[in-house]
Amino acid sequence: MRKIPYGGDYNPEQWPEQVWDDDHRIFELAGIDTLTVGVFTWGLTQPAPGVYDFSTLDRIVERAAAEGRQICLATGTGAHPAWLARSNPEVTRTDFEGRKHRFGQRHNSCPSAPVFRRLATEMARRIAARYAGNPAIVAWHVGNEYGGACYCEFCAAGFRAWLRQRHGSLEALNTAWYTTFWSHTFTDWDEIEPPNALTEHWRGPDHTAFQGITLDYLRFMSDAMLANFRDEKDAIRESDPDTPVTTNFMGMYKPIDYHRWAPHLDFASWDNYPPDDRSAARMAFTHDLIRGLKDGAPFWLMEQTPSVTACRDVNPLKRPGIMRLWSWQAVAHGADAVLFFQMRASRGASEKYHGAVIGHSGRTGTRVVKEVSALGAELELLGSATLGGRTPARVAILFDWDSWWALEMSDGPSRLVRYQDVVLRYHRALWDAGVDLDVVPVTADLTGYDVVVAPALHMVKDGLTERLGAVAARGGTVVGTFLSGRVDENDNAFLMDVPGPLAHLFGVRVDEWDAREATYVNPVAIGGLVSDARLLFELVIPEGADVFGTYQSDFYAGTAAVTRNDVGTGHAWYVGAGLDAAGVTWVIRQALAPHGLLGPYADVAEVESTTRVMPDGSRVRFVLHHGDRPTSVVIPMDGEDLLTGAALTAGDKVTLDAHGVLILRAQSRQNSLPSTS
Ligand code: GLA
Ligand code: ZN
């Protein structure tokens, strides 16, 4: 790659070919060099059973290639054709309520239906056979935003087969699922039902009588869709051994365990649609999560809106400068592509009001076209300066879909404790401290990190206890919280004191815990401040750990809430209460202090900063200003401002405009990457 690919989803099959001329003219103007093509074209490329027609897709691909644009070519299987749902009704899904769906919407195929699997794979095979070798194609895009779930008979059968694989015998399965409870012992595999509203659930997907069953179904469903992805990828590989294959993820998307998928993607990519314009930290976290899927390798920002979304009840406009700032934020966190949904607005159906680079009128004087063009020019200027860069993180946050699933479907202690909220609160404190961090799975190699934060690590598995222990033993710092070390991989409680296998590391024991409504506060005195703790209060009994925070009210006033255990030359912090942001910040700053990890803008409000280290050893520091008034920052090192060419010296004061971005390449090179990358 010569520069960061820039462009996005392009669906010209929706409008007349005369309009394509305009499209490409505007792309030229805006510096758009990459088009994601064919994401929902199955109905077009296979208009009837056994009939394939690639003529339109041919013209789209030929035109893009002739114009010198790169193509991310989709297999088009994100929605099945209407005729298929009619000829083979088994391709539609059965939902959580047990309702068999008919044709409609998209992302609508049962992942287990043999006819869907066969025909989707065949489509991928034919597309690859037809277009492989076209030098314009830089990536394959399989399906689209895999997600949801199906509870049909094919999925039930698939689940049973998956369970045989996982558990080996009914006896092992009965043990894992704890089926002596409520007379559930299974004596035949065919007695097993998918857990949904007709079987184990009430109120919804988080309320189940058997957490172990639902947990396995979530894993199975994630694997079933992964099998769809892999089928298509294998079919592509029959014609194209090299071009990277991906699918677009959705960030913190609960139904699919992206860690289980990651090894099968050649690079990770995701669609960034934050809930609001106050989500800078959340987006930072999500970028880091996606980068963590492939061991820190660069990912693609596959979609973002240039202006507005359409699917929300209320769809606010991105303010001037925000699209640029958020695009650079993605790059700052490891993106090697900046792509939009979408290049031209649909005329009809549910996304006609969705933002696009080109609106319905085709006008080029719009703010969106101007901002997109300005960013296009900047990306051109930057060239390859950040491509392949890695994040030199010394801090890791553990993120675990199993813990997320298990925690939130647990009956007790509190439905108000949400996994993402806990993770994001700890992340926010790290983000405010300006540290480069990795978000890693619980299976990750932790040897390169000085600080490992494991929020709400409900489930402990995969030898994690030993790896966390080793971090502290060699002088690192581990931070853990309430509701950790509670269950094993089957969601069965450990037959030991809480926090189970982690008790030794944290040097504490928890016999009792209290959960209260969100309005209730039990203050925790900690490090000279009083933190308003809410939702969950574990009564922490030190067993070797030192007490740093204590509850201030109720019958457990004076009881430990926050402790630190000395382990080898390092430390393990345990936070037993739902501390407020100030309390969490205090703990996080304590954890970072021995390692000197505060970023240069740790206390500059709304300024975010990250570093990428390029394959040639050059270091680029991104400084991103999320505030809407100018601010000034001190330059931390000598270097070159890559967007203006200005030479900057350490100690210089620079004014950042509202939503301003500074990209500084350090003068001196560092030869090798830190071991975490
Ligand atoms: C998703 C899809 C796109 C489009 C956008 C709209 O990310 O992948 O096809 O629907 O949402 O925001
Ligand atoms: Zn199904």
Side-chain angles (χ1 to χ4, degrees):
M1 294 275 173
R2 181 183 66 81
K3 62 174 279 290
I4 293 175
Y6 186 49
D9 278 41
Y10 179 50
N11 307 308
E13 64 277 9
Q14 293 179 15
W15 47 86
E17 288 197 34
Q18 310 84 279
V19 180
W20 301 5
D21 294 336
D22 261 1
D23 294 345
H24 281 281
R25 182 177 55 78
I26 300 170
F27 297 158
E28 199 60 40
L29 184 95
I32 299 298
D33 52 33
T34 304
L35 301 172
T36 303
V37 163
V39 178
F40 293 106
T41 45
W42 193 349
L44 199 67
T45 53
Q46 190 177 8
V51 179
Y52 291 89
D53 175 1
F54 294 98
S55 53
T56 305
L57 194 55
D58 282 352
R59 287 197 300 282
I60 295 169
V61 167
E62 277 159 23
R63 180 68 191 266
E67 298 274 353
R69 309 226 136 75
Q70 306 176 122
I71 298 169
C72 173
L73 188 55
T75 58
T77 54
H80 55 234
W83 61 258
L84 178 58
R86 179 148 175 262
S87 65
N88 296 79
E90 71 271 29
V91 299
T92 65
R93 290 182 180 182
T94 296
D95 68 18
F96 179 78
E97 312 292 338
R99 296 174 304 191
K100 167 75 180 153
H101 283 214
R102 300 171 69 95
F103 178 70
Q105 299 197 33
R106 63 169 176 178
H107 306 151
N108 46 3
S109 308
C110 163
S112 313
V115 63
F116 165 71
R117 296 191 63 177
R118 185 165 51 75
L119 292 181
T121 306
E122 182 60 18
M123 178 53 69
R125 178 176 295 118
R126 284 179 187 249
I127 294 219
R130 191 166 190 93
Y131 301 105
N134 184 328
I137 297 174
V138 292
W140 297 101
H141 178 298
V142 172
N144 190 68
E145 293 193 332
Y146 283 92
C150 180
Y151 299 86
C152 75
E153 281 307 321
F154 285 109
C155 287
F159 184 41
R160 293 175 198 127
W162 185 94
L163 291 168
R164 278 178 198 257
Q165 278 269 316
R166 175 171 172 82
H167 297 285
S169 68
L170 273 178
E171 196 189 350
L173 173 130
N174 280 311
T175 305
W177 285 358
Y178 204 67
T179 53
T180 40
F181 184 74
W182 290 1
S183 188
H184 263 55
T185 305
F186 293 103
T187 57
D188 190 303
W189 294 98
D190 288 337
E191 293 157 6
I192 297 166
E193 297 283 355
N196 66 6
L198 302 180
T199 59
E200 301 296 351
H201 283 254
W202 76 98
R203 272 177 69 184
D206 281 345
H207 291 72
T208 173
F210 278 80
Q211 281 71 18
I213 300 180
T214 299
L215 193 58
D216 270 349
Y217 201 75
L218 285 160
R219 291 166 172 156
F220 155 71
M221 200 32 73
S222 184
D223 284 358
M225 290 187 209
L226 173 58
N228 296 163
F229 170 83
R230 294 180 65 185
D231 286 349
E232 290 195 35
K233 183 178 177 186
D234 290 347
I236 291 169
R237 285 284 171 254
E238 290 169 19
S239 314
D240 181 346
D242 303 315
T243 311
V245 179
T246 193
T247 185
N248 48 341
F249 286 157
M250 291 177 274
M252 277 182 283
Y253 178 67
K254 194 173 175 188
I256 303 277
D257 183 345
Y258 292 151
H259 288 136
R260 294 171 88 92
W261 281 57
H264 305 283
L265 273 62
D266 296 319
F267 66 92
S269 68
W270 82 288
D271 303 342
N272 183 23
Y273 296 99
D276 53 46
D277 57 6
R278 298 175 304 281
S279 294
R282 181 197 174 93
M283 291 188 291
F285 178 85
T286 317
H287 288 309
D288 292 347
L289 170 73
I290 298 294
R291 193 186 69 242
L293 296 179
K294 297 296 288 179
D295 261 335
F299 60 92
W300 280 23
L301 176 61
M302 188 65 89
E303 294 181 23
Q304 64 171 342
T305 177
S307 53
V308 289
T309 52
C311 61
R312 307 265 158 77
D313 286 355
V314 176
N315 297 277
L317 186 57
K318 283 185 178 170
R319 271 45 198 168
I322 292 291
M323 181 279 291
R324 169 182 184 252
L325 173 67
W326 291 2
S327 299
W328 283 122
Q329 186 191 32
V331 176
H333 285 269
D336 267 4
V338 174
L339 305 172
F340 297 108
F341 183 89
Q342 52 190 339
M343 301 316 302
R344 180 184 277 269
S346 303
R347 185 174 176 202
S350 63
E351 289 178 345
K352 67 176 173 296
Y353 288 138
H354 197 288
V357 173
I358 309 172
H360 294 134
S361 73
R363 178 178 288 282
T364 53
T366 62
R367 179 174 69 88
V368 168
V369 173
K370 285 184 194 153
E371 289 197 24
V372 168
S373 307
L375 180 60
E378 285 187 336
L379 290 165
E380 183 66 43
L381 197 65
L382 203 78
S384 65
T386 59
L387 291 180
R390 299 257 179 164
T391 305
R394 312 294 307 165
V395 177
I397 300 186
L398 302 186
F399 190 87
D400 183 37
W401 263 265
D402 273 344
S403 273
W404 186 2
W405 291 337
L407 183 87
E408 293 190 355
M409 70 170 118
S410 177
D411 263 357
S414 172
R415 293 281 179 184
L416 300 182
V417 177
R418 309 299 292 174
Y419 182 70
Q420 285 184 91
D421 292 348
V422 181
V423 171
L424 288 175
R425 176 156 293 185
Y426 280 79
H427 167 263
R428 177 64 198 236
L430 289 163
W431 189 75
D432 285 338
V435 301
D436 282 313
L437 62 90
D438 288 340
V439 179
V440 300
V442 294
T443 49
D445 176 5
L446 301 177
T447 53
Y449 299 109
D450 296 327
V451 176
V452 177
V453 181
L457 189 63
H458 191 61
M459 182 180 293
V460 175
K461 57 183 182 186
D462 298 329
L464 182 57
T465 307
E466 292 69 32
R467 276 177 293 119
L468 282 175
V471 171
R474 63 171 162 74
T477 303
V478 175
V479 180
T481 75
F482 51 87
L483 290 180
S484 290
R486 297 298 187 114
V487 297
D488 66 13
E489 60 178 351
N490 296 312
D491 200 62
N492 291 317
F494 291 111
L495 297 178
M496 42 175 116
D497 289 326
V498 170
L502 302 174
H504 180 71
L505 169 64
F506 291 120
V508 298
R509 186 182 106 217
V510 176
D511 294 349
E512 292 183 283
W513 47 88
D514 190 17
R516 306 295 298 262
E517 288 300 325
T519 47
Y520 177 88
V521 170
N522 192 329
V524 170
I526 183 170
L529 64 94
V530 176
S531 169
D532 283 355
R534 284 191 164 82
L535 303 187
L536 202 82
F537 312 92
E538 291 183 347
L539 281 59
V540 181
I541 302 165
E543 305 234 299
D546 298 316
V547 178
F548 280 77
T550 50
Y551 294 109
Q552 299 299 293
S553 66
D554 217 315
F555 81 92
Y556 47 91
T559 300
V562 180
T563 60
R564 192 187 76 184
N565 197 27
D566 296 338
V567 184
T569 50
H571 302 296
W573 288 87
Y574 188 79
V575 183
L579 299 183
D580 64 8
V584 170
T585 296
W586 186 86
V587 173
I588 288 296
R589 294 289 171 115
Q590 295 289 309
L592 295 172
H595 311 287
L597 285 172
L598 280 197
Y601 308 112
D603 292 305
V604 186
E606 300 179 301
V607 171
E608 172 181 16
S609 180
T610 70
T611 298
R612 290 182 73 178
V613 180
M614 295 335 124
D616 68 358
S618 64
R619 256 180 124 76
V620 173
R621 181 173 278 282
F622 294 83
V623 187
L624 308 159
H625 178 36
H626 293 282
D628 46 22
R629 278 155 211 256
T631 191
S632 85
V633 293
V634 177
I635 297 301
M637 67 208 186
D638 296 352
E640 180 198 353
D641 180 334
L642 289 176
L643 295 180
T644 65
L648 295 171
T649 309
D652 282 356
K653 265 200 152 183
V654 169
T655 300
L656 285 177
D657 295 336
H659 310 135
V661 175
L662 175 71
I663 306 175
L664 189 65
R665 178 159 56 199
Q667 216 153 56
S668 60
R669 287 186 175 200
Q670 179 189 293
N671 288 323
S672 62
L673 285 172
S675 53
T676 51
S677 315

